[in-house]
Amino acid sequence: MSSADVPVEPSPVVAPAVRAKAPATAWISWVALAMMTTSSVASLRAAPTMAVYGLACVFLYLLPAVVFLLPTSLVSAELASGWNGGVYHWVSEGISKPMGFLAVWCQFAMTIFYYPSLLGFVASTLAYVFNPELATSGVWTAAVIIVVYWSGVWVSSRGTKGVAGLASGGLIIGTLIPGVVLVTLGIVFLGQGNPSAAPMTTDNIFPAWAGLSSLVLIVNNFLSYSGMEMNAVHVSSLKKPAKEFPKAIFLAMGLVLAIFILPALAISWIVPAKELSLTAGVMQAFDAVFANFGWQWLTPIVGIMLVTASVAGMLTWLAGPSKGLLLISRQEGYLPPYLQRLNKNGVQQNILVVQGLLTTLIGLAYAFIPDVSSAYWIFSVITTQVYLIMYLLMFVAAVQLRRKDPDHARGYRAPMLVGLCGVGFAASLAALLVGFIPPSQFESGNPWVYLLIVGGGALGLGLLVPFLFYRLRKPSWKQPEPEAVTPS
């Protein structure tokens, strides 16, 4: 709660010596906010996906940054500075409560496919610690996904302290340090006279056009930039949000783009696109560059660092979106009582268990899909599709709120809001539609099977399931507020 949300009451007249001091507002600097945003968005996991494009990855990262990251950041900042409660309340006030439930459901449901894709990266990275050949094994990948996810559920259900600190350390250990090392050694690799695996000429600035399928990989970048609406809640903690928030966003954008683009370029210099694995590409690059210097003994160490960061990030996300869904469902009765139950630590364990069963089934798909990279890509696309539904609703709600209640107090007002929402909505819709097109890497497969898997996963989980919950809801599903539980 910000200071603006606290009701002001008349102060009693007291002697100066005992005058009560008003609590100090916990201000944060715009630089600190930029660092927080960078840590929550930037990752090395998506680097192999874009490295297959070589120099064109710069364009493929800049385009979604302008048409998606920037509108999302500025629009969500206005919403967060005027309405508490996150995306559910924004969409409920701007459109309707059913659409608000759909938005918060999509924010939660995307994690069902997000965890298998994240842990698929963990499995392939961990393989380089034991046996690099395991990186292409679907059985190994499925086993790691299942074991690590359920271990995370066990940790989260106990309300273990220190997870947030682990995630902060994970950014430095598993993202910044490996990223700097990879880029530095990549530059040295080229400086020694080794040719770049990908051409670096002006003819390669834009991706080669081979039909719509040649640009499908750009959809994954929308997911790379997602989550800005969560960081927007801190806009009220800036002293001068109208001036400082844009500066924080542009600094964060610069840092995020550097973390995304430079490692992707370094990988493209070292590993030929045809040999690149979408899950193990980062470790392929480290292994190749370390071999060039005779330092391959460092490969397992870097693998452990990357795994640490990914697992720490999973733990911080594991209970967050499901907790938001739980609170809304208790108030409005959107979920059956079984899914609303809390354990003795005040954690929504039943939701995590049901989510875990679905994650297990999806993880097993890795064991049956011959190409691990194909499975990783398919689950990444489904994750993006579901999340984009929420962003479409958010942009519509922002325009509606500006029109219906223009005088509502806002700590920050986004410039040209309607234009920003128009660009963001169009980009999100285009990315959602393009995601149903098989990328050029999967031209040998059956496009109808691809469409069935992606369409069934995205539309079924993102639209059909919340529709059924809403239609089947009962007044008895509304639950009283749970008894206070000491935070763990």
Side-chain angles (χ1 to χ4, degrees):
M1 178 180 289
S2 66
S3 58
D5 298 320
V6 180
V8 180
E9 298 181 359
S11 301
V13 178
V14 295
V18 295
R19 182 178 296 141
K21 293 184 178 180
T25 302
W27 301 112
I28 61 174
S29 70
W30 65 271
V31 175
L33 180 57
M35 295 299 106
M36 292 168 59
T37 302
T38 303
S39 66
S40 64
V41 174
S43 170
L44 296 180
R45 187 166 65 95
T49 306
M50 288 297 111
V52 298
Y53 280 90
L55 186 60
C57 74
V58 178
F59 168 79
L60 294 176
Y61 269 122
L62 287 175
L63 180 61
V66 173
V67 302
F68 180 76
L69 176 60
L70 186 59
T72 298
S73 303
L74 300 182
V75 170
S76 60
E78 172 167 327
L79 294 173
S81 68
W83 291 268
N84 293 324
V87 68
Y88 171 78
H89 289 286
W90 304 344
V91 177
S92 295
E93 293 288 333
I95 306 176
S96 66
K97 284 190 175 182
M99 291 296 101
F101 172 61
L102 175 60
V104 77
W105 170 267
C106 288
Q107 197 174 51
F108 158 76
M110 60 81 75
T111 62
I112 295 176
F113 290 98
Y114 171 74
Y115 295 132
S117 63
L118 171 66
L119 296 179
F121 169 77
V122 169
S124 63
T125 302
L126 200 58
Y128 276 79
V129 178
F130 303 106
N131 181 2
E133 294 182 0
L134 291 174
T136 58
S137 170
V139 175
W140 161 262
T141 303
V144 172
I145 289 173
I146 294 170
V147 171
V148 175
Y149 178 84
W150 284 107
S151 299
V153 170
W154 180 78
V155 171
S156 296
S157 66
R158 295 171 62 86
T160 304
K161 296 181 179 180
V163 172
L166 178 63
S168 300
L171 170 71
I172 299 174
I173 296 173
T175 299
L176 296 182
I177 294 177
V180 170
V181 170
L182 179 60
V183 174
T184 301
L185 294 183
I187 294 174
V188 174
F189 175 83
L190 294 180
Q192 291 179 330
N194 296 297
S196 171
M200 293 287 134
T201 65
T202 55
D203 294 334
N204 304 107
I205 294 178
F206 299 103
W209 179 254
L212 289 176
S213 61
S214 63
L215 289 178
V216 170
L217 281 175
I218 197 174
V219 172
N220 207 41
N221 287 351
F222 282 74
L223 179 62
S224 299
Y225 291 134
S226 63
M228 293 299 295
E229 76 283 355
M230 298 180 185
N231 293 283
V233 299
H234 300 293
V235 69
S236 300
S237 298
L238 297 172
K239 287 186 177 181
K240 299 178 180 179
K243 293 183 178 180
E244 293 179 341
F245 187 78
K247 291 196 294 185
I249 288 302
F250 284 113
L251 175 59
M253 282 181 62
L255 294 173
V256 168
L257 286 172
I259 293 173
F260 280 150
I261 292 174
L262 296 180
L265 283 175
I267 293 174
S268 72
W269 298 335
I270 301 166
V271 183
K274 293 182 179 179
E275 301 176 10
L276 194 62
S277 165
L278 298 187
T279 53
V282 175
M283 293 308 300
Q284 283 179 318
F286 274 112
D287 196 49
V289 76
F290 285 153
N292 182 70
F293 293 96
W295 299 344
Q296 278 187 292
W297 59 271
L298 286 174
T299 301
I301 297 176
V302 171
I304 293 174
M305 294 169 68
L306 293 172
V307 167
T308 300
S310 296
V311 173
M314 186 201 76
L315 289 175
T316 59
W317 272 82
L318 193 58
S322 60
K323 184 175 182 180
L325 178 65
L326 172 77
L327 296 176
I328 299 306
S329 298
R330 292 182 72 94
Q331 296 171 10
E332 304 293 340
Y334 290 135
L335 295 181
Y338 173 79
L339 294 177
Q340 298 183 30
R341 293 176 189 167
L342 306 176
N343 66 7
K344 63 181 181 180
N345 295 310
V347 176
Q348 57 282 10
Q349 183 170 297
N350 286 5
I351 290 182
L352 295 179
V353 168
V354 172
Q355 182 181 11
L357 294 175
L358 294 173
T359 300
T360 299
L361 292 176
I362 297 170
L364 289 174
Y366 276 91
F368 298 101
I369 297 178
D371 185 358
V372 172
S373 286
S374 297
Y376 174 84
W377 169 252
I378 288 172
F379 294 136
S380 294
V381 170
I382 293 175
T383 301
T384 306
Q385 305 294 73
V386 173
Y387 212 1
L388 286 172
I389 296 173
M390 185 275 293
Y391 282 112
L392 292 173
L393 294 171
M394 187 190 77
F395 287 125
V396 173
V399 174
Q400 290 292 96
L401 287 171
R402 178 71 76 90
R403 290 175 176 173
K404 293 193 302 185
D405 200 356
D407 297 326
H408 184 89
R410 296 165 171 83
Y412 172 78
R413 297 180 74 90
M416 300 182 294
L417 179 87
V418 175
L420 285 173
C421 290
V423 171
F425 185 93
S428 300
L429 181 60
L432 192 150
L433 296 176
V434 169
F436 291 110
I437 303 172
S440 55
Q441 284 80 352
F442 303 107
E443 287 178 348
S444 58
N446 189 327
W448 293 107
V449 173
Y450 178 90
L451 180 62
L452 180 62
I453 295 175
V454 172
L459 300 180
L461 185 63
L463 296 177
L464 180 59
V465 174
F467 173 76
L468 292 176
F469 274 130
Y470 184 79
R471 287 299 299 269
L472 298 175
R473 73 192 189 285
K474 301 176 181 178
S476 60
W477 288 7
K478 292 185 178 182
Q479 300 289 316
E481 289 298 319
E483 295 182 4
V485 179
T486 303
S488 301

